[in-house]
Amino acid sequence: MLGFYIFAIKPHKSSVPPTQPMLDQRFKFGLMNGWLNRISKLVKPDFADYGVAMSAVNACVGYNLKRAITGVSPNFTIDYSKVLYSRGKLDLPNNPLIATTTAAKLDYSWLAVTGDTNSKPTDKVTFMVYNTDKDKFVTLQGIVVRSALAYSLQLPPDWSGDNVEAYLSLALANGEPVRKIEPYLMAIVLVMVWFTAQKVMLYNDSTAGQVDQSIWLLVLLAIISFLLIQGLCFWQSKGWYACRAG
């Protein structure tokens, strides 16, 4: 007589609790990730070029985890004076300042960069203000050009008297495309090469032999590898630069 037995195997759960450094790292990651995700529209066009094999926000979180977290366990906080939400090679504004002569209004000003610089008068300026008392943001993306040298940012009236952290960043006038079509075009080209290359060869020369599909696969992988290497070499040549003003 044969008997059949069914055993339910439960996933093994480690009995070792997480260490305090592990808990600290989780808390710091959640703290920074939660804050930066709320301004992800400012992060994505920029840190996307620095996030190899990761999202733009995760690349930005990793950068700021090492530089903008302060405090002693378990009382970690964000050091807003060290936060960087934008990176690149454009020159910073010269001597950026902020005045608060009117309630709930920030008067930004900066000087022109002179000499042989990596900047243009048409560079777009983005402003970001974080209210630490109310835990709210105000962002204006590409609202004015570098050559304006000044901008008055009107905040909500009930922000008057609150503590705020003010930032600005710059981008090229053409900015980052909203939708990148190049990867899709390249994918279409590769698919067309995959299915049509042999037919084109046979059309031109009916005596040409068939090439094994595995050989075409190797050619395709070689092209993809070449494009990846080109992308890694190119990622430094684009981006924004950010600074914290006042």
Side-chain angles (χ1 to χ4, degrees):
M1 183 176 186
L2 298 176
F4 296 91
Y5 299 90
I6 299 176
F7 298 92
I9 302 177
K10 296 182 178 180
H12 174 70
K13 294 183 178 180
S14 175
S15 59
V16 180
T19 62
Q20 190 59 44
M22 293 173 60
L23 294 174
D24 291 344
Q25 188 66 15
R26 291 177 188 175
F27 178 81
K28 290 189 287 186
F29 178 84
L31 181 67
M32 184 59 69
N33 185 66
W35 193 83
L36 287 172
N37 262 294
R38 296 168 64 188
I39 55 169
S40 60
K41 65 180 181 180
L42 304 182
V43 174
K44 287 179 179 178
D46 177 23
F47 265 89
D49 290 337
Y50 292 85
V52 180
M54 66 176 68
S55 69
V57 174
N58 282 344
C60 187
V61 169
Y63 179 92
N64 286 285
L65 273 177
K66 300 176 182 179
R67 298 165 176 84
I69 295 291
T70 188
V72 179
S73 178
N75 301 314
F76 294 109
T77 58
I78 298 175
D79 185 347
Y80 300 107
S81 67
K82 297 180 180 178
V83 167
L84 195 71
Y85 69 83
S86 180
R87 292 181 69 189
K89 295 187 179 297
L90 292 184
D91 289 329
L92 293 171
N94 189 9
N95 192 31
L97 298 173
I98 295 178
T100 54
T101 56
T102 305
K105 181 180 285 188
L106 298 180
D107 295 318
Y108 289 81
S109 64
W110 57 92
L111 301 178
V113 180
T114 59
D116 186 11
T117 65
N118 189 21
S119 65
K120 294 182 179 180
T122 55
D123 291 341
K124 295 288 188 177
V125 184
T126 290
F127 301 95
M128 192 270 282
V129 181
Y130 174 62
N131 188 320
T132 57
D133 293 337
K134 291 184 170 61
D135 189 29
K136 292 183 178 180
F137 292 88
V138 166
T139 60
L140 290 175
Q141 195 166 2
I143 194 66
V144 69
V145 295
R146 184 194 290 266
S147 60
L149 302 182
Y151 186 77
S152 293
L153 176 58
Q154 180 64 58
L155 300 172
D158 63 342
W159 282 30
S160 179
D162 290 348
N163 293 313
V164 298
E165 298 287 336
Y167 306 79
L168 66 84
S169 60
L170 294 103
L172 296 174
N174 57 358
E176 186 76 10
V178 176
R179 293 182 178 87
K180 294 183 179 180
I181 64 172
E182 290 86 352
Y184 302 101
L185 292 176
M186 183 57 65
I188 292 173
V189 170
L190 292 175
V191 171
M192 291 178 63
V193 169
W194 176 263
F195 288 104
T196 64
Q198 292 199 65
K199 294 180 180 179
V200 171
M201 292 174 60
L202 291 173
Y203 178 81
N204 292 328
D205 184 2
S206 60
T207 64
Q210 293 283 343
V211 179
D212 190 84
Q213 286 294 101
S214 61
I215 302 299
W216 285 112
L217 179 60
L218 290 175
V219 173
L220 182 63
L221 291 176
I223 295 174
I224 293 174
S225 299
F226 172 77
L227 293 175
L228 287 175
I229 293 173
Q230 288 292 99
L232 290 175
C233 295
F234 184 69
W235 68 274
Q236 298 184 73
S237 63
K238 298 176 63 178
W240 298 4
Y241 214 115
C243 73
R244 179 179 181 276

